[in-house]
Amino acid sequence: MAQEDSTHLRPSLIKHGGLQKFIDSGKTLSVTVSPRDDSIAVYATSNSHARPSSNSSAEYHPIYMAIPHLPPSGERRTFLTDTSVIFAAAQNLVRVAREESVQIPDTVDGIKAMTKLALDYVNHCKECCIYAAQETARRESLQFDADHYRKLYTCFSLFMVLYMPEGGFEDAPVGDELMDWLNTHYIEPSTEDGDRLSSLDRPWEDETFWHYLTRATLRGLSRASAFFLGVLSQHPSPNLQHLSQRLIPLLTNHPRLHQFAAERDFAVASRRWKDKVKSLRLELDRVPEEDREDGFENWWERFSDIVSILEGRGDSVKRIVSELGGDWKEVCAVWSVFVDTRIRRSDLPDLVEDLLDELPPDPTNLEDVIHSSLFLGRPTQALSQAAELDIWLAAHLVDIMESLQLIDVEPDDSEHSIRDHYILSYAEYMRSDPSLWRLTVDYMSSCSEIGKAMADQVLMHVPLRLHRPKGAHEGETEIAQIHAGQLAGVLKEVIATCFEYKREEVRRMICRIAAQTFMQEKEYGLAVSYCASAEDWPGLGRVVDRVLEDYITEGPETFARLVANMSPVLHSLRAAPGAHGVFLHRLMFAVRFAEFHQRRMMGDLQEAAFDLVAMFREDLAPRSWWAVILSDAVELLQHSQSMLFTNNDAVLFLHKLQEIDMRCAQGAQDDYLAILARTMKGAGEKQIFQRLQVIRLVLARYTARCGVIGVGGRTTQGTVY
Amino acid sequence: MLQTGLIPNAHNDLVTDASYDFYGLRLATCSLDQRIKVWQLDETNGTWAVESEWKAHDAAISKVCWAHPEFGTILASSSFDRTVKVWEQIPATESDAPQVNGSGGAVLTSKWVERAMLVDAKGTVRAIEFAPQHFGLKLASISSDNQLRVYDCLEQPSLTTWQMAEEVDVLNLPSGSRSNNNTANVATPTQQPSTTPEAASASLVAHALQQQQQQQGQPARSGSGNREADGGWCLSWCKDRYWGELIAAGCGASGVVKIIQLTQSRRPFTVLTLDPSPSQTSTNDASGKNAPASDGDTPTPFAITSVAWAPSCGRSYHLIATGGRDGRVRIWRVRPPLPSDELDGEPDGDASEGKWSASIVGDFDDHKSAVGRVEWNITGTILSSAGNDGRVRLWKMTVGNVWRPAGHISVEQADEQQADVDMDADAED
């Protein structure tokens, strides 16, 4: 996963060595970065910022897309998703501890819980390794091989052995646990060798026999050792027969820490056992030179090696392990079981430093390098190496390391702590798959303010997918739900995430974007409610403007239909306290105006007339719309069956008309007549004034009718609602 | 880095700019061929298909950029024809004659319409960028006449009325401190003799003369190449809201980037000049009287041709990347005044003046040739740069605030590759 790499895009734009020609022809490269997944688009562009001359059109002009990380797929995706659950649990633990203002390492329960979670990580690495090693047909090919997960497994479990001892074992000898770790991950001697040797009548004649026996002893595999020592009772040399019988109980009774309740007992038993080994050495030395060969091997030397391991001779251990192809880790484990049986975790760095001088780690093997850093007690260094191996490892190690106070928690110069740095790098890796945005946000939000702000960026760039798809789609139901006014799909999830992490600013922006989308789709009711949810009152005003614009361009029928679903929102808005002044006022006008047209078209003329009057009486109608409303009133005023307005209403209309005339005379035509002009579709000034004349005439006739009839239609003021 | 896609032939001529929309699902490209194309990503297979294309200008297009989606689906384009145009995508109605151009052939579901044309520039408009959405629908442009212009959209649903709110002569912009405006002007490093006569003629009068000359004297656009070698290059808005409207702009061949504060209460002024010349890293304009230092040794003048202001993402400092003709990618860490320096939290008060500071946290000459583009990712954690070495390079911050190279991409054929690559065969990858 190292990123210091170079990539050649294909098909190549420049022939090998052709760069200079490319540059000389006035071209260069340019790049732009995608907010979706940090992928970049690369293209050749004009280098001369002066007026560029057109290049030959015979060339092709490609745009390349490239991405910094391979997006997780197949088993890797599952692995990331599964371990994120553990991460969330760990976060929970840290949060609870913080709320109780305790440090996790200070409480037994805290450590226990954290250890359990770390073990979960280890087990997931193990399972993923086992899964990846299976030779079955898979739906998706593996992104990382079993060996990669094995490395994660060894590193994470070593971290646990060294830094997360079981409760009460913090200051206990570490040998057994190290040897267990080694035996779990680096199995030697191989089972195949064992099977093969055990099938032989005289296995000591096989060249691997003594290697096998020595390695089994080194690794503390007393049962295997004892079995083959037992076989040696058939060996032609009586000395060897005897010695091997003496050795068997020593191996099987090798005192191990876990067999003892107190370390003191362990120490005493170890001393006694060492004495027995010494007496075996004495017996061994008494074997005459001529009996030390069996015609295949110098069995005495081999046997002596085994005894020297038990004796705990450091130099012999190093030599024997090297000869057997073991590395510094094996020496270290053997050392802590046979040489210095009481070695503590805190002593390991010194020991390993010495060992590494003689048996250096393989610098090309990141796994080995990480192991050495962990052994040397350099967690920070281990992290940077882990990040090279797999940022997953660094991120999940650092999270635990910080909670255990193994690393510096203070932010550095860049205002990132070490933990945040690796967590954010990991989150950045996950961004390569946009559909992992939830996990990305979770990890980022677990960091300090900078991480949370980055999570904001990720959240707000999640495509909301509100547009109705062109064809029939699976997702259509969700989109239909959204359009029916429910929260569904991505929008629901994004908003829920905003609530979860209390990112109100982001939520509002998302609502504004949703409102804009709905406005474009003429879903005005939704647009208004999302504006309201974002408390975006200017935006609400723009939706109303757009609606009224639709009246002008599309006519009253369409307008009334589009606005129909706005009125419920209006009612809830008016019920809400602290509202929102001028924009709400405009919304009320639009809704009222639409209701008027709705009723008019339905033939409910009396109610329509009420609406018309109310728009003036309640001062809902903006001046620019007066002329339009009056013009729309003409139809009702001329209604022959009934008098729909009172005399007062008609007078009110006349007043408004008068004001329009007067203002226009003062030069404010644009303010008062522009919209009427637009509804009349390109009518000239003359026609507009004619229209006003018509209104005046109709009004005059109406007031006259009121006068003639005397009672004048209705005299009481129509109630508004 | 891994190649994930390819548009085999985006335009009929060199692509001059490309810009992803807010979600990265669409890519707008423009070209010397005077056309804009909008490409849509098919997320199921990672391919890009043209959604719309149209002839947008009467000359080569220099830049294209998207407005924030809360204003609608809006593009702006700038051109060598000295105009900036604002485009909006709207749903197509049945009666639509193809006003601009829709998706050819397929059912016309949407169309792009020209909403506004801004014609104030007296030279090539080289860069445009919409303001961060919290400042409203605003657009900044910078052009070869050295002017930074900021436009306000007055009628948002219609997008037709744009008012020029600011017109800033970047070279002669006064610094924040009122006392030494003039000295700051004189000391502008651009005003070195020789090599670039345009840089020297930066005064308004001279510039006006120059324009006249250009308009009258230059018969065609051919000879004007050198004339336009100087002028305004690049701009980038501060993405943060807290400090008010700030723009970083690169102009002329002085090698500096000015950070310009726009406020309603007073004329724009420079709060900080990012000057990499040795004596004045982190020049603070208010105390920037040390500028004459550049008179002694005359460094080769160069232009900063690209600037990118990273999203601040909760950091107490800002990251600004620059790329220039000197072949360097620089990452500046710009610190605003400490909050305690402010009396009442007003970012534009005089109290906060003079306390912006900057330092270089990354200075890379890996391109070893002119750098034409720098751009941040949305979290401000990865910087991409492109240069005349035919490479795109990535830069990342590592633990301890150390910026490091993080891989590069080449369009040059690798050594081991066959001499001719069959384009069609590879096109699908």
Side-chain angles (χ1 to χ4, degrees):
Chain A
M1 293 195 53
Q3 284 149 39
E4 286 277 347
D5 55 352
S6 98
T7 305
H8 289 264
L9 297 171
R10 303 185 71 202
S12 55
L13 194 61
I14 310 172
K15 286 208 169 104
H16 183 63
L19 178 65
Q20 196 54 44
K21 200 175 145 207
F22 176 77
I23 300 296
D24 290 347
S25 65
K27 286 180 241 170
T28 186
L29 273 199
S30 193
V31 63
T32 188
V33 185
S34 171
R36 182 171 174 265
D37 52 5
D38 283 350
S39 65
I40 59 173
V42 180
Y43 52 95
T45 189
S46 162
N47 188 17
S48 54
H49 279 263
R51 297 193 186 287
S53 54
S54 189
N55 276 268
S56 99
S57 55
E59 294 177 31
Y60 64 99
H61 303 280
I63 298 177
Y64 305 90
M65 278 77 182
I67 192 163
H69 308 276
L70 184 66
S73 66
E75 94 295 342
R76 175 76 172 173
R77 232 181 116 89
T78 315
F79 180 65
L80 300 192
T81 318
D82 289 353
T83 49
S84 75
V85 179
I86 310 171
F87 180 81
Q91 282 312 299
N92 208 28
L93 202 61
V94 171
R95 195 178 57 240
V96 171
R98 204 171 291 151
E99 279 165 10
E100 295 170 359
S101 36
V102 292
Q103 300 287 349
I104 287 177
D106 297 345
T107 64
V108 176
D109 282 352
I111 292 193
K112 221 182 245 175
M114 201 46 105
T115 307
K116 194 193 160 300
L117 293 174
L119 195 61
D120 283 349
Y121 285 130
V122 171
N123 285 334
H124 268 89
C125 295
K126 179 180 166 185
E127 277 169 26
C128 200
C129 177
I130 292 170
Y131 170 79
Q134 286 166 358
E135 284 173 11
T136 51
R138 295 170 213 280
R139 212 152 33 92
E140 277 183 288
S141 56
L142 290 176
Q143 190 169 31
F144 289 87
D145 58 13
D147 194 48
H148 182 78
Y149 294 103
R150 186 195 56 73
K151 289 174 187 169
L152 302 182
Y153 181 25
T154 67
C155 292
F156 220 119
S157 56
L158 178 63
F159 169 74
M160 283 200 72
V161 169
L162 295 179
Y163 296 87
M164 304 186 83
E166 260 181 72
F169 282 78
E170 296 85 357
D171 198 32
V174 70
D176 278 2
E177 289 174 68
L178 276 185
M179 188 55 88
D180 280 350
W181 175 78
L182 191 73
N183 281 332
T184 308
H185 297 286
Y186 304 94
I187 296 169
E188 290 289 349
S190 76
T191 323
E192 294 78 26
D193 281 352
D195 290 348
R196 195 172 51 78
L197 288 171
S198 63
S199 66
L200 300 175
D201 284 342
R202 287 196 296 267
W204 57 88
E205 292 180 2
D206 191 279
E207 58 181 13
T208 61
F209 175 76
W210 285 101
H211 282 182
Y212 184 91
L213 187 54
T214 315
R215 201 82 186 249
T217 311
L218 275 175
R219 293 298 191 94
L221 306 172
S222 51
R223 200 176 295 171
S225 310
F227 173 79
F228 284 105
L229 286 171
V231 173
L232 285 178
S233 61
Q234 311 295 318
H235 192 272
S237 163
N239 273 317
L240 181 53
Q241 288 174 18
H242 169 71
L243 287 166
S244 51
Q245 290 311 306
R246 291 268 286 119
L247 185 53
I248 292 172
L250 280 178
L251 286 176
T252 47
N253 295 326
H254 181 208
R256 305 292 285 265
L257 180 66
H258 63 83
Q259 299 157 343
F260 298 89
E263 194 191 341
R264 204 178 140 270
D265 300 342
F266 168 64
V268 170
S270 292
R271 213 175 310 127
R272 284 195 193 133
W273 181 80
K274 275 266 166 76
D275 290 344
K276 290 181 193 163
V277 176
K278 263 183 210 155
S279 68
L280 178 65
R281 165 65 73 186
L282 292 176
E283 283 185 49
L284 182 64
D285 285 347
R286 283 199 291 269
V287 175
E289 287 284 341
E290 62 274 15
D291 194 26
R292 295 183 180 185
E293 292 261 2
D294 61 6
F296 302 96
E297 278 274 5
N298 185 331
W299 63 258
W300 188 88
E301 272 182 22
R302 300 295 183 188
F303 201 90
S304 167
D305 276 355
I306 293 175
V307 175
S308 60
I309 295 167
L310 304 192
E311 285 172 312
R313 293 173 193 245
D315 288 343
S316 303
V317 165
K318 286 184 205 168
R319 177 182 54 80
I320 294 164
V321 171
S322 294
E323 281 172 6
L324 291 171
D327 63 359
W328 62 271
K329 291 189 285 258
E330 187 154 358
V331 176
C332 183
V334 174
W335 196 282
S336 57
V337 171
F338 290 105
V339 182
D340 184 355
T341 49
R342 299 183 67 185
I343 195 166
R344 265 59 178 164
R345 287 178 168 79
S346 54
D347 304 326
L348 285 175
D350 289 341
L351 169 67
V352 170
E353 198 152 4
D354 288 346
L355 293 179
L356 288 175
D357 280 345
E358 292 176 50
L359 295 161
D362 177 0
T364 60
N365 180 348
L366 271 172
E367 181 193 8
D368 202 36
V369 172
I370 297 168
H371 291 162
S372 68
S373 294
L374 288 172
F375 268 108
L376 289 168
R378 297 172 188 162
T380 312
Q381 195 177 317
L383 285 172
S384 75
Q385 291 149 350
E388 276 182 66
L389 175 67
D390 186 339
I391 190 65
W392 178 92
L393 181 63
H396 292 84
L397 278 180
V398 78
D399 191 43
I400 295 178
M401 283 183 182
E402 198 199 53
S403 64
L404 297 179
Q405 298 174 324
L406 294 171
I407 48 168
D408 201 357
V409 294
E410 288 304 310
D412 65 15
D413 210 21
S414 65
E415 301 176 2
H416 290 288
S417 65
I418 296 177
R419 175 191 179 276
D420 285 8
H421 184 89
Y422 288 111
I423 298 281
L424 291 174
S425 294
Y426 176 60
E428 196 173 278
Y429 159 63
M430 281 196 290
R431 281 204 56 224
S432 57
D433 182 349
S435 64
L436 291 177
W437 64 266
R438 296 166 202 78
L439 295 190
T440 310
V441 167
D442 289 344
Y443 278 83
M444 286 178 161
S445 300
S446 76
C447 298
S448 63
E449 279 312 310
I450 297 180
K452 292 188 171 74
M454 288 181 179
D456 287 351
Q457 290 288 328
V458 174
L459 258 184
M460 66 178 74
H461 284 92
V462 175
L464 300 176
R465 304 180 198 285
L466 298 174
H467 289 289
R468 288 183 197 273
K470 283 164 198 160
H473 249 269
E474 290 169 51
E476 206 170 41
T477 48
E478 279 176 0
I479 289 167
Q481 273 180 305
I482 291 175
H483 281 260
Q486 296 165 17
L487 214 46
V490 181
L491 186 63
K492 181 179 180 179
E493 287 188 60
V494 173
I495 288 180
T497 310
C498 291
F499 276 122
E500 185 184 343
Y501 291 111
K502 303 189 177 66
R503 311 309 287 180
E504 178 63 10
E505 279 295 307
V506 182
R507 189 193 67 81
R508 287 186 181 198
M509 180 199 280
I510 287 162
C511 287
R512 287 197 299 269
I513 294 172
Q516 172 67 233
T517 311
F518 291 130
M519 184 166 87
Q520 281 172 1
E521 299 202 331
K522 296 186 187 290
E523 295 274 6
Y524 295 118
L526 285 172
V528 166
S529 55
Y530 278 93
C531 280
S533 178
E535 299 192 20
D536 177 19
W537 311 122
L540 182 73
R542 287 192 287 275
V543 178
V544 175
D545 288 349
R546 183 64 72 94
V547 170
L548 293 174
E549 187 68 24
D550 276 348
Y551 171 84
I552 297 168
T553 53
E554 316 258 320
E557 287 82 7
T558 316
F559 170 73
R561 182 167 46 78
L562 290 173
V563 180
N565 53 5
M566 279 168 85
S567 50
V569 189
L570 174 65
H571 288 303
S572 59
L573 273 182
R574 290 175 66 174
H580 338 295
V582 60
F583 302 113
L584 189 61
H585 208 71
R586 267 152 77 184
L587 175 62
M588 285 160 65
F589 165 67
V591 169
R592 203 58 187 273
F593 191 47
E595 280 171 357
F596 155 69
H597 278 293
Q598 188 67 33
R599 287 177 176 138
R600 183 182 60 78
M601 287 181 291
M602 302 283 287
D604 187 359
L605 300 182
Q606 187 58 65
E607 286 300 314
F610 283 150
D611 284 326
L612 208 53
V613 176
M615 278 188 281
F616 282 121
R617 292 230 189 270
E618 293 172 29
D619 240 352
L620 286 178
R623 265 170 293 175
S624 51
W625 283 83
W626 286 359
V628 179
I629 296 170
L630 290 174
S631 175
D632 285 344
V634 167
E635 183 191 334
L636 299 188
L637 287 166
Q638 288 180 315
H639 190 67
S640 51
Q641 260 94 63
S642 57
M643 305 284 283
L644 299 168
F645 301 96
T646 65
N647 196 21
N648 286 347
D649 296 339
V651 171
L652 175 70
F653 291 162
L654 271 173
H655 278 306
K656 294 293 178 191
L657 188 62
Q658 188 61 33
E659 187 173 338
I660 293 171
D661 275 343
M662 196 172 68
R663 298 288 184 187
C664 288
Q666 290 165 352
Q669 279 183 25
D670 281 352
D671 290 348
Y672 283 83
L673 297 180
I675 294 174
L676 179 64
R678 292 188 57 208
T679 58
M680 291 169 67
K681 305 260 187 286
E685 199 173 307
K686 194 174 161 199
Q687 284 106 310
I688 293 165
F689 280 105
Q690 272 175 358
R691 181 69 186 167
L692 288 184
Q693 288 298 331
V694 169
I695 299 171
R696 179 178 300 281
L697 180 67
V698 170
L699 274 174
R701 273 217 303 261
Y702 190 88
T703 40
R705 274 168 73 195
C706 290
V708 170
I709 293 168
V711 285
R714 296 181 295 112
T715 46
T716 48
Q717 181 68 56
T719 41
V720 176
Y721 295 104
Chain B
M1 295 296 293
L2 298 137
Q3 187 170 349
T4 54
L6 175 73
I7 298 175
N9 198 8
H11 282 265
N12 288 327
D13 207 332
L14 276 179
V15 176
T16 46
D17 192 30
S19 174
Y20 284 102
D21 77 343
F22 189 73
Y23 298 114
L25 295 174
R26 294 202 277 181
L27 182 71
T29 59
C30 59
S31 159
L32 295 182
D33 68 7
Q34 309 178 2
R35 298 177 77 77
I36 294 176
K37 292 190 185 185
V38 176
W39 306 80
Q40 191 153 29
L41 173 66
D42 182 339
E43 288 185 280
T44 56
N45 58 16
T47 58
W48 294 83
V50 178
E51 180 191 271
S52 312
E53 65 164 301
W54 66 97
K55 180 178 184 298
H57 287 269
D58 294 326
I61 304 173
S62 54
K63 280 277 189 305
V64 61
C65 69
W66 296 86
H68 193 275
E70 72 177 57
F71 302 112
T73 311
I74 301 167
L75 273 175
S77 59
S78 63
S79 164
F80 288 76
D81 68 10
R82 303 180 177 182
T83 64
V84 172
K85 289 184 179 179
V86 178
W87 310 89
E88 186 184 21
Q89 187 182 35
I90 56 170
T93 53
E94 301 80 29
S95 61
D96 274 330
Q99 293 196 24
V100 186
N101 206 336
S103 42
V107 186
L108 202 66
T109 52
S110 68
K111 58 178 179 176
W112 286 86
V113 291
E114 181 183 322
R115 291 298 191 200
M117 178 159 76
L118 313 173
V119 295
D120 305 280
K122 312 290 191 303
T124 298
V125 184
R126 288 220 184 98
I128 45 172
E129 190 178 299
F130 281 102
Q133 90 289 349
H134 35 252
F135 297 130
L137 187 53
K138 288 186 180 190
L139 179 66
S141 74
I142 194 162
S143 42
S144 57
D145 60 6
N146 287 323
Q147 301 290 321
L148 171 73
R149 295 181 178 84
V150 180
Y151 296 90
D152 264 343
C153 179
L154 295 186
E155 283 176 47
Q156 225 175 80
S158 70
L159 302 173
T160 47
T161 318
W162 292 73
Q163 182 188 50
M164 188 162 69
E166 302 288 357
E167 185 169 35
V168 181
D169 180 353
V170 178
L171 289 180
N172 295 307
L173 184 68
S175 68
S177 152
R178 286 160 192 180
S179 53
N180 60 356
N181 278 354
N182 292 327
T183 49
N185 286 346
V186 172
T188 309
T190 343
Q191 303 193 343
Q192 292 151 3
S194 82
T195 48
T196 51
E198 275 70 32
S201 67
S203 79
L204 281 174
V205 177
H207 190 247
L209 283 173
Q210 178 198 329
Q211 277 161 12
Q212 213 171 11
Q213 192 185 10
Q214 262 184 336
Q215 279 157 6
Q216 296 166 354
Q218 306 293 319
R221 298 179 158 181
S222 58
S224 55
N226 285 333
R227 291 224 154 268
E228 301 210 328
D230 206 1
W233 291 106
C234 53
L235 69 94
S236 185
W237 285 87
C238 172
K239 316 294 183 279
D240 199 7
R241 174 185 216 156
Y242 184 76
W243 299 100
E245 297 179 26
L246 288 162
I247 295 179
C251 210
S254 57
V256 304
V257 162
K258 289 189 176 183
I259 298 177
I260 299 165
Q261 176 106 52
L262 311 169
T263 64
Q264 302 215 317
S265 54
R266 59 184 282 196
R267 293 282 302 145
F269 58 95
T270 309
V271 293
L272 186 68
T273 302
L274 303 179
D275 186 348
S277 59
S279 57
Q280 30 189 300
T281 22
S282 85
T283 302
N284 193 323
D285 242 35
S287 58
K289 292 168 207 157
N290 53 353
S294 62
D295 287 352
D297 51 344
T298 46
T300 324
F302 65 91
I304 296 291
T305 48
S306 182
V307 61
W309 200 313
S312 53
C313 280
R315 301 176 190 93
S316 72
Y317 56 89
H318 296 269
L319 288 169
I320 298 178
T322 64
R325 293 276 163 93
D326 62 340
R328 285 177 179 271
V329 173
R330 290 190 185 84
I331 301 170
W332 295 82
R333 178 147 73 158
V334 177
R335 283 204 178 277
L338 289 172
S340 55
D341 294 342
E342 293 171 66
L343 297 173
D344 54 1
E346 279 291 310
D348 56 347
D350 284 350
S352 63
E353 273 178 15
K355 287 173 188 150
W356 285 81
S357 60
S359 57
I360 294 179
V361 290
D363 189 344
F364 303 104
D365 67 349
D366 300 40
H367 282 292
K368 309 229 179 286
S369 56
V371 179
R373 178 66 80 94
V374 286
E375 199 168 307
W376 292 100
N377 66 341
I378 54 164
T379 48
T381 49
I382 306 176
L383 178 70
S384 311
S385 66
N388 275 5
D389 58 348
R391 300 239 152 121
V392 169
R393 297 176 184 277
L394 300 192
W395 315 90
K396 280 178 85 168
M397 194 182 69
T398 54
V399 175
N401 196 28
V402 181
W403 286 84
R404 294 221 166 91
H408 57 83
I409 296 182
S410 171
V411 291
E412 197 175 347
Q413 203 169 54
D415 293 358
E416 67 272 17
Q417 266 182 302
Q418 288 276 303
D420 65 321
V421 176
D422 183 0
M423 204 187 118
D424 297 324
D426 291 332
E428 63 193 89
D429 192 29

